[in-house]
Amino acid sequence: MARTRYARRSVQLHHTSRTRRLQLAQVDIPNEIPNTTAVFIVLRKMRGPLIALISIMTVGVIGLSLMPGVPQPDGGHGRLDAFEAFYVMTYTATTIGFGEIPHVFSIEQRWWIIFSIYAAVIGWAYALAKLMGLLQDSAFTTARAGQSFRRTISRLREPFTIIVGYGYIGRSVARALDQRHRRVVIIDRDTVPIERLATDLLSEETPGLTADARRP
């Protein structure tokens, strides 16, 4: 028993001496998630809607410029040139309905405008549906959260403490450090504790990230 207690005492003294030699060291912020990841996800997910809207706009402009118009008193043929067709299709396809037209449209031009309006509405509905799906996409939300977290950390100019796990003990430690005006950063594998940061009302800005702390 005496030898066992002596051995334990030696281990404690050795651990204490090692702890005293520890010093703060500056480390680089991991750069696992590139800044352009979220942009690439948006371009990949929204490529179809963008192509559809551009195609609708292009076909509408070309078709409207080719539609026969009403003969004008000054001898004009009543057709729209490329710029006038683009101008009319701009406020038509975007559903603004500005209403300014160079002259009275012919039946053919009116039918083409009707077709363009319905095509534009379908195109915008498709784009909005894809956009709503993108906002709920796990890859996009993860990339956006990671990039926002890294930008927040890079702006910190004072030392901070990383708290792994934001349960009962983690919240207690965070509150205690916050009362001492010490900056903390929270990492938790669950999304709910990270979302709880918004309602904890800590005096200092507290970045949080849903991630596994075992992965740098």
Side-chain angles (χ1 to χ4, degrees):
M1 291 295 293
R3 290 182 180 180
T4 303
R5 287 197 296 268
Y6 178 75
R8 290 179 179 176
R9 180 63 175 171
S10 300
V11 171
Q12 291 177 359
L13 291 175
H14 180 67
H15 177 72
T16 303
S17 62
R18 290 185 57 189
T19 304
R20 291 176 179 175
R21 290 197 298 268
L22 292 178
Q23 297 180 354
L24 294 177
Q26 183 177 1
V27 296
D28 295 330
I29 299 175
N31 193 15
E32 184 177 351
I33 302 178
N35 287 329
T36 55
T37 300
V39 177
F40 287 152
I41 294 176
V42 172
L43 293 178
R44 184 175 68 248
K45 296 291 185 178
M46 298 300 295
R47 179 174 55 187
L50 289 176
I51 293 176
L53 291 175
I54 293 174
S55 301
I56 292 172
M57 186 71 176
T58 303
V59 172
V61 171
I62 295 175
L64 186 59
S65 63
L66 296 177
M67 290 295 107
V70 177
Q72 301 300 307
D74 57 358
H77 49 70
R79 284 186 178 180
L80 302 180
D81 57 25
F83 176 76
E84 291 175 338
F86 176 76
Y87 176 69
V88 173
M89 284 302 304
T90 297
Y91 64 72
T92 300
T94 55
T95 67
I96 295 176
F98 187 61
E100 181 184 359
I101 56 177
H103 47 71
V104 178
F105 280 169
S106 64
I107 297 299
E108 293 82 0
Q109 290 173 326
R110 291 176 180 176
W111 272 112
W112 189 258
I113 290 293
I114 293 174
F115 165 76
S116 301
I117 290 174
Y118 281 103
V121 170
I122 295 174
W124 281 112
Y126 172 57
L128 290 176
K130 294 291 290 185
L131 180 61
M132 296 300 296
L134 174 64
L135 295 178
Q136 299 176 357
D137 185 76
S138 59
F140 175 72
T141 54
T142 301
R144 187 179 60 179
Q147 293 173 13
S148 176
F149 177 80
R150 193 182 63 184
R151 285 194 300 268
T152 303
I153 296 299
S154 63
R155 288 195 297 265
L156 296 180
R157 293 296 178 262
E158 66 271 19
F160 58 88
T161 301
I162 299 177
I163 298 179
V164 179
Y166 198 59
Y168 176 78
I169 297 177
R171 295 179 72 185
S172 301
V173 173
R175 291 194 185 99
L177 292 175
D178 184 70
Q179 291 175 358
R180 293 168 174 80
H181 302 287
R182 294 289 303 273
R183 182 81 69 171
V184 295
V185 174
I186 308 298
I187 298 178
D188 198 293
R189 289 182 296 180
D190 194 1
T191 305
V192 177
I194 299 300
E195 295 176 348
R196 195 184 298 142
L197 282 171
T199 59
D200 281 350
L201 301 178
L202 300 176
S203 61
E204 301 290 340
E205 180 184 4
T206 305
L209 179 66
T210 303
D212 190 349
R214 294 174 297 181
R215 298 180 55 193

